[in-house]
Amino acid sequence: MSLSLPHVASYTRELPISLTRMYENAIDGEHLPWLHRTSFSHLEIIDKGSWGWRAKGNFVPKSFMNSMELELRLDREKNCWITRTTAGLGKGTEIWTHAFELEENKIKIVVDFYIPKLPNFLKNLYAEKLVQTYAQLYDEDLWMMATRQNELDRIKLGESIEPFESIELGLLVEIEKELPLTFSFNNNPYKLVKLDKKLLAFSATCPHMLGPLQDCDIDQGIVECPWHGYKFDVKSRKCISGARCKLAPAPRITIDDESGIITALT
Ligand code: FES
Ligand SMILES: [Fe+2]
């Protein structure tokens, strides 16, 4: 706990995820302006490591009044991470989060908010806003952490499954009405789209941290991951945001001239 700042509020919540997922989320500053786009309009990571991260950016709405610099430091031994506002809006604020493992895949977090001395009415408003914001941030984080865990479990399970060489997806006339559509092949999700008048499948799992691409719009052959905003060219599979990751290979799609049946093949 902070020794020098007034404690103004707490937020406590149980989360059905592991401590590993929680720590991973805490030191991942990059997701803030994407997953939490309604709270952060922009955030640039200045430094990062297994210790945490430092960043500068803006809260929503973006304006010079809403700019800030943040630092998050994780102390695994104390099951705690501290987020400090080091400059800009809310300078001096410290948010201490302790995480307790209740059972496998179940933790409890206790968040304590400390803010520099403010007039009472402002202090209460700010504290209320912080608690509200954290409730929303954790709703969004929980979706990401739980989805990622499901994806990791799915991949593990897939390793023990005998792979198929092909599956029939259906009739062209029917499938065309449903595009873009998601299908599963060898326990992996793919999305089937029409690009340059041709059917094409691409992996619907982001290669960065397994973000879900199923529900993302495809704009001129580009898909953008909702978790960290990496963009991928679905044809070449390359990340056009500069990251070294690439979409996993997808099955080839063929159409039988006579029957009109669409098949996905390894
Ligand atoms: S999981 Fe990070 S960009 Fe997709
Ligand atoms: Fe988050």
Side-chain angles (χ1 to χ4, degrees):
M1 65 183 231
S2 175
L3 295 176
S4 54
L5 292 168
H7 178 263
V8 295
S10 292
Y11 173 72
T12 303
R13 181 161 174 177
E14 287 186 10
L15 297 165
I17 45 117
S18 67
L19 212 44
T20 307
R21 291 286 83 75
M22 188 67 255
Y23 285 162
E24 185 179 73
N25 178 276
I27 61 163
D28 170 17
E30 217 184 336
H31 77 269
L32 270 65
W34 296 96
L35 185 71
H36 306 309
R37 63 191 75 205
T38 56
S39 304
F40 297 89
S41 65
H42 163 77
L43 201 76
E44 183 193 334
I45 302 292
I46 303 165
D47 195 9
K48 64 177 178 178
S50 57
W51 54 272
W53 47 266
R54 284 193 304 117
K56 61 179 181 182
N58 290 83
F59 295 113
V60 169
K62 188 174 181 179
S63 84
F64 76 96
M65 299 279 286
N66 266 345
S67 66
M68 47 56 193
E69 291 187 22
L70 298 175
E71 176 190 271
L72 181 142
R73 287 194 175 267
L74 172 64
D75 185 337
R76 286 181 175 82
E77 272 177 23
K78 292 188 179 148
N79 285 14
C80 165
W81 57 99
I82 306 154
T83 313
R84 292 189 172 91
T85 308
T86 53
L89 184 67
K91 185 181 172 190
T93 300
E94 288 188 12
I95 300 169
W96 290 57
T97 306
H98 287 85
F100 306 94
E101 198 161 29
L102 300 178
E103 52 193 73
E104 201 187 346
N105 293 325
K106 189 171 179 187
I107 62 165
K108 178 179 174 178
I109 49 137
V110 179
V111 188
D112 287 295
F113 302 94
Y114 299 89
I115 58 177
K117 213 165 172 29
L118 280 176
N120 259 355
F121 78 100
L122 266 183
K123 185 179 85 176
N124 295 340
L125 269 179
Y126 188 33
E128 209 175 295
K129 178 75 183 155
L130 281 170
V131 172
Q132 269 173 14
T133 303
Y134 260 63
Q136 185 181 335
L137 295 179
Y138 271 101
D139 284 348
E140 293 160 349
D141 281 333
L142 181 57
W143 170 61
M144 178 173 165
M145 292 186 284
T147 306
R148 178 164 161 73
Q149 187 61 57
N150 287 342
E151 283 299 287
L152 289 165
D153 295 343
R154 174 186 65 73
I155 290 166
K156 201 169 173 194
L157 181 71
E159 286 164 6
S160 61
I161 292 173
E162 196 60 40
F164 288 99
E165 289 199 348
S166 67
I167 53 160
E168 288 184 0
L169 299 179
L171 284 171
L172 178 62
V173 280
E174 298 300 327
I175 295 279
E176 277 198 313
K177 288 185 222 157
E178 292 172 42
L179 292 176
L181 68 83
T182 304
F183 67 95
S184 177
F185 184 50
N186 288 329
N187 207 34
N188 297 313
Y190 297 97
K191 195 149 180 174
L192 184 67
V193 291
K194 200 166 203 178
L195 266 187
D196 303 331
K197 298 186 183 162
K198 278 190 178 162
L199 288 176
L200 170 94
F202 68 90
S203 167
T205 304
C206 178
H208 175 222
M209 283 179 68
L210 310 177
L213 303 178
Q214 292 96 309
D215 300 326
C216 302
D217 292 335
I218 297 129
D219 186 9
Q220 303 189 21
I222 305 296
V223 65
E224 181 184 277
C225 180
W227 287 359
H228 306 90
Y230 289 14
K231 292 187 174 77
F232 298 91
D233 179 324
V234 300
K235 236 183 197 176
S236 69
R237 303 192 280 119
K238 285 185 184 153
C239 177
I240 61 163
S241 305
R244 270 182 285 174
C245 51
K246 201 171 180 185
L247 289 175
R252 277 184 304 120
I253 300 297
T254 62
I255 307 165
D256 186 89
D257 286 343
E258 276 180 25
S259 63
I261 290 174
I262 300 177
T263 305
L265 301 148
T266 47

